[in-house]
Amino acid sequence: MTVRTHVHTALYTGAEGRLLERSFRLRVVAGPDAGRDHLLDEGTTMVGTHADNDVVLTDNTVSRYHLEVRVRSDGILVKDLDTTNGTRHGGTKLGQVVLTGPARLRLGKHTEVEVAPDEHEVPLDDYPGDRYGRVIGSVPAMRRLFALLARVAPTDATVLLAGETGTGKEAIAEAVHQGSRRAAGPFIVVDCGSIPHELIASELFGHARGSYTGATSDKRGLIEVASGGTLFLDEIGELALDLQPQLLRVLDKRQVRRVGETAPIDVDIRVVAATHRDLRAMVKAGQFREDLYYRLAVVRAEIPPLRERLADLPALARHFAEEMGRSGFDLSAALLDQLAHHDWPGNVRELRNVVERALSLGTSQLELGGGDDAPRAGTATAALAGGMTPPADVLELPFKEAKAALIEGFEREYLIHLLARHKGNISRAAAEAGIDRNYIHRLVKKYGIDVDRA
């Protein structure tokens, strides 16, 4: 006898970034009902001898309601329902367990069932065009990325976007949202690196009136606000370790509990997270929960840095100019060569800033202070066309020394003003400048800048 139901399938990325599709099957392999085969559906499957169960057994040592099997995005939850003769897994009596691979269970004294995944690789079609949402890319790595996201977007699979600062993770997350069945719902962005630790629990989960000093009214958290849509957790690697269990509970149960309240609130959210950090290394170092990592990285997508997709530079530069109401950028062969020799530590965001500043100076050309001796960041944004005249004493120096002096002077003054605008907040300063936080830390140390007084 085969019981046919709606099959629940899940997409996830396996080894070498392959996209896999997995469904689950429950087979009776021993006992009086051997041969029964049940495709697990979305939600909960009940197993026992009572006729109300989804899988009805005739073994009189099995309880009327013996086993609850629930399909989850991270595996199969199997729960014994306080039965007389119990359920055993590997010889051990179990209460409940989450299975991520094949497992054999003994129910009562005679029946054995096998819960196993059926999985196969999902071929990705060639992606048509060079855009996914607002994101532009024509090199093979970007087209593979677009094909993966286009296939995953219509599902509710949790997606982890991994890539350097400035690679366009938020724009990609928004494109995933727009390609989903939730497109009409909210797209809520949470920057885990910019919200102060003492406020992030209230921002994420909400709070009840009077739960702490200053809580003068009930407040919905951003997770609750995102219900019906997509929650984008930017820089998830910055989330404090003590808050990670609360986020894990939200992902597992799709419920949120406001600070100061005990009753949970159901939420219907799809989660997309992003990070520039190596979360797997953080897991090994005890800085990030392993179970939370695997709940977030159901589908993992790597976004290449701009230096690995230099063929996209001309299209990106023209696109940014057009967005700002200007066209006709002079992209000569010499300029393209300069663009290609810059290492773009701030990635696409840095390129956009370069274009914007060039336009603000009233020129249709970009000039980059490239070269092997150029610093890793700030060069492209420092050396825009603008007719600035260096001080006379600098002009008397040898070329290489004069260039270094100008760059260092620019870097120091730029950094002082940047940090002053953001009151010393390096995360926000890095986001505006389009460069990595770690690079700002190195510059602060290099020039002896007092962040607290910036």
Side-chain angles (χ1 to χ4, degrees):
M1 175 182 177
T2 301
V3 182
R4 298 193 178 275
T5 65
H6 170 74
V7 181
H8 175 80
T9 61
L11 294 176
Y12 68 102
T13 46
E16 300 176 353
R18 295 182 304 147
L19 184 65
L20 303 175
E21 186 170 38
R22 176 175 57 191
S23 58
F24 293 91
R25 185 181 299 274
L26 185 148
R27 299 183 182 94
V28 183
V29 295
D33 305 293
R36 292 196 176 183
D37 187 2
H38 183 89
L39 295 176
L40 298 176
D41 66 355
E42 190 172 23
T44 300
T45 297
M46 301 297 295
V47 181
T49 58
H50 194 279
D52 287 345
N53 287 286
D54 301 290
V55 178
V56 180
L57 303 176
T58 59
D59 183 352
N60 60 12
T61 67
V62 172
S63 295
R64 298 172 75 237
Y65 296 98
H66 195 103
L67 202 65
E68 177 183 309
V69 183
R70 186 182 306 162
V71 178
R72 306 197 320 187
S73 59
D74 58 341
I76 297 289
L77 173 69
V78 176
K79 181 179 181 181
D80 180 87
L81 300 175
D82 296 324
T83 58
T84 302
N85 294 316
T87 301
R88 294 185 178 274
H89 176 228
T92 303
K93 191 172 183 178
L94 63 81
Q96 70 177 42
V97 66
V98 176
L99 306 174
T100 57
R104 197 176 178 109
L105 307 172
R106 187 177 186 88
L107 282 60
K109 296 181 179 179
H110 309 299
T111 297
E112 292 186 13
V113 301
E114 183 181 71
V115 178
D118 285 339
E119 59 186 29
H120 62 274
E121 185 171 357
V122 178
L124 296 176
D125 298 330
D126 289 336
Y127 188 81
D130 61 355
R131 297 191 181 212
Y132 182 66
R134 296 184 293 113
V135 185
I136 292 176
S138 61
V139 300
M142 292 300 291
R143 293 173 75 95
R144 285 195 299 271
L145 173 66
F146 293 167
L148 171 67
L149 296 174
R151 178 64 180 83
V152 169
T155 75
D156 267 347
T158 302
V159 179
L160 177 64
L161 303 174
E164 295 178 7
T165 298
T167 48
K169 295 187 286 292
E170 183 175 334
I172 290 173
E174 187 172 7
V176 170
H177 169 71
Q178 292 298 331
S180 75
R181 64 180 179 83
R182 300 170 175 274
F187 176 71
I188 302 298
V189 179
V190 180
D191 185 348
C192 299
S194 66
I195 304 175
H197 179 267
E198 62 273 14
L199 297 179
I200 194 165
S202 174
E203 288 294 309
L204 277 175
F205 309 114
H207 63 245
R209 178 182 178 183
S211 57
Y212 60 88
T213 303
T216 57
S217 61
D218 290 345
K219 176 183 177 180
R220 299 169 69 209
L222 294 174
I223 293 174
E224 193 177 341
V225 172
S227 192
T230 301
L231 179 71
F232 176 50
L233 299 171
D234 197 11
E235 294 302 348
I236 189 64
E238 310 301 320
L239 186 66
L241 200 58
D242 61 326
L243 291 174
Q244 292 177 23
Q246 297 178 58
L247 178 59
L248 181 63
R249 282 194 292 272
V250 172
L251 297 177
D252 278 343
K253 298 181 180 298
R254 288 301 193 266
Q255 291 181 329
V256 66
R257 192 171 62 232
R258 293 176 182 174
V259 175
E261 289 187 353
T262 57
I265 299 169
D266 291 334
V267 290
D268 172 24
I269 56 172
R270 196 260 185 90
V271 174
V272 178
T275 182
H276 76 285
R277 294 185 177 275
D278 184 343
L279 292 188
R280 283 173 288 203
M282 292 180 68
V283 168
K284 290 181 181 178
Q287 299 170 339
F288 200 85
R289 289 181 62 107
E290 183 177 27
D291 47 6
L292 179 57
Y293 169 75
Y294 284 111
R295 289 294 283 111
L296 292 170
V298 175
V299 173
R300 180 184 171 92
E302 299 280 347
I303 305 171
L306 185 54
R307 63 182 174 276
E308 294 179 5
R309 44 181 294 225
L310 295 177
D312 287 335
L313 278 168
L316 287 167
R318 292 189 183 98
H319 169 70
F320 291 141
E322 289 170 3
E323 273 192 337
M324 298 167 197
R326 294 278 297 276
S327 58
F329 242 17
D330 181 8
L331 294 174
S332 64
L335 176 57
L336 287 174
D337 184 65
Q338 284 183 291
L339 291 170
H341 281 85
H342 184 62
D343 56 4
W344 300 104
N347 291 293
V348 177
R349 185 186 296 153
E350 182 184 359
L351 177 62
R352 190 185 194 286
N353 288 347
V354 169
V355 173
E356 183 175 17
R357 286 174 183 152
L359 294 177
S360 71
L361 291 170
T363 177
S364 63
Q365 296 186 0
L366 303 176
E367 291 184 10
L368 306 179
D372 294 338
D373 58 335
R376 273 193 56 81
T379 304
T381 55
L384 296 169
M388 295 180 292
T389 302
D393 57 341
V394 172
L395 292 174
E396 294 174 359
L397 295 171
F399 173 79
K400 199 167 184 178
E401 293 179 24
K403 179 180 176 182
L406 285 172
I407 290 173
E408 287 186 358
F410 164 80
E411 285 182 337
R412 189 177 189 282
E413 290 303 312
Y414 180 88
L415 197 60
I416 288 173
H417 285 82
L418 177 69
L419 290 170
R421 286 198 300 277
H422 295 283
K423 299 180 181 178
N425 188 310
I426 288 179
S427 293
R428 293 175 184 170
E432 179 191 317
I435 56 179
D436 192 88
R437 282 186 287 269
N438 291 331
Y439 186 75
I440 290 187
H441 280 295
R442 291 198 295 272
L443 289 181
V444 165
K445 183 176 179 180
K446 175 181 178 180
Y447 297 120
I449 297 171
D450 187 347
V451 175
D452 294 331
R453 298 183 63 183

